Amino acid sequence: MRRLPVYLLLDTSGSMRGEPIEAVNNGIRVMVSALRQDPHALETVHVSIITFDADAKVVVPLTALDELQVPEITTPQSGPTHLGLALETLGKRIRQEIRKSTTEVKGDWAPYLFVMTDGKPSDIQLFEEQCPVIRSIGFASVIGCVAGPKVRKEDLQPLCDHVVSLDTMDSALFSSFFKWVTAAIASGNKSMGAAATVALPPPPPEIQIVF
């Protein structure tokens, strides 16, 4: 069975402490639970979670939905937003985890990448170096989510096919975002083998697609 890899890069810098990270944890649980109710997704979707603050950590390596243990993600007291380091870590993981097609066997479907952050990358030089590297991998779609007042949408433009904006960082909004992510994965899951880039389902009204 060909796998559909889904990578989540989640900002766990100090500014995500409290309600924002609780909302993210809840959102991931909602997403995994919903995808498990889709028989096709349950067969194909594999999820990896990478967090980034001063460090980048592979919290969940690429794991089948039915085997996934959803972790409790935590944040440090304070600290920078090393998104460049997270992208570098992602690139290494993809080289290890994604199965390529051979003459005998079809490899994995093109993977999805969701990046969620509430701040500008602190390691801007590494981030700028890594964007073209990640773009060259051939993701089905790279979707950024910028949350809260401090983040600028332009910061994710070099990386993402689409960026959505959340004005606030409350649970309801994060929950809406993850439900939309679920719909995007489920629809992509059914249209695999179509065009290289996948059309996204329309988001709920409280989530704005910036581009």
Side-chain angles (χ1 to χ4, degrees):
M1 174 66 73
R2 298 178 76 180
R3 305 181 304 172
L4 175 61
V6 176
Y7 286 86
L8 303 177
L9 256 62
L10 304 175
D11 186 344
T12 47
S13 58
S15 53
M16 290 290 292
R17 275 182 81 74
E19 191 188 9
I21 203 66
E22 285 172 28
V24 167
N25 276 304
N26 184 49
I28 293 169
R29 285 191 287 269
V30 165
M31 181 186 87
V32 169
S33 171
L35 285 170
R36 279 178 173 155
Q37 289 162 27
D38 177 331
H40 194 59
L42 193 57
E43 280 189 355
T44 56
V45 171
H46 285 58
V47 176
S48 172
I49 300 173
I50 297 172
T51 61
F52 56 97
D53 39 65
D55 197 6
K57 299 186 195 74
V58 181
V59 181
V60 177
L62 198 63
T63 304
L65 263 184
D66 58 347
E67 295 168 14
L68 185 65
Q69 304 280 321
V70 179
E72 189 68 24
I73 292 167
T74 57
T75 60
Q77 292 286 350
S78 62
T81 307
H82 282 166
L83 178 51
L85 182 61
L87 295 179
E88 191 174 53
T89 304
L90 169 70
K92 289 176 187 160
R93 298 302 302 180
I94 289 221
R95 284 191 283 279
Q96 293 168 15
E97 292 174 338
I98 299 289
R99 297 175 190 152
K100 293 205 161 116
S101 293
T102 66
T103 45
E104 291 83 35
V105 184
K106 284 192 185 281
D108 293 331
W109 299 111
Y112 276 77
L113 174 59
F114 294 90
V115 181
M116 204 214 73
T117 183
D118 75 335
K120 184 184 177 72
S122 308
D123 53 350
I124 191 74
Q125 187 177 346
L126 183 57
F127 172 74
E128 287 173 353
E129 287 168 7
Q130 286 299 314
C131 283
V133 176
I134 296 300
R135 300 286 302 167
S136 70
I137 287 169
F139 282 94
S141 197
V142 180
I143 299 159
C145 169
V146 293
K150 292 183 198 160
V151 66
R152 297 184 324 151
K153 304 156 187 74
E154 303 78 47
D155 292 333
L156 287 186
Q157 204 153 352
L159 176 65
C160 299
D161 299 308
H162 306 280
V163 173
V164 300
S165 170
L166 309 183
D167 293 336
T168 61
M169 299 173 70
D170 64 27
S171 303
L173 210 47
F174 272 122
S175 181
S176 288
F177 170 69
F178 277 104
K179 282 179 184 162
W180 179 67
V181 166
T182 308
I185 294 167
S187 67
N189 196 29
K190 294 180 178 64
S191 65
M192 293 290 112
T197 52
V198 179
L200 296 177
E206 63 271 24
I207 294 176
Q208 301 149 351
I209 290 195
V210 185
F211 67 85

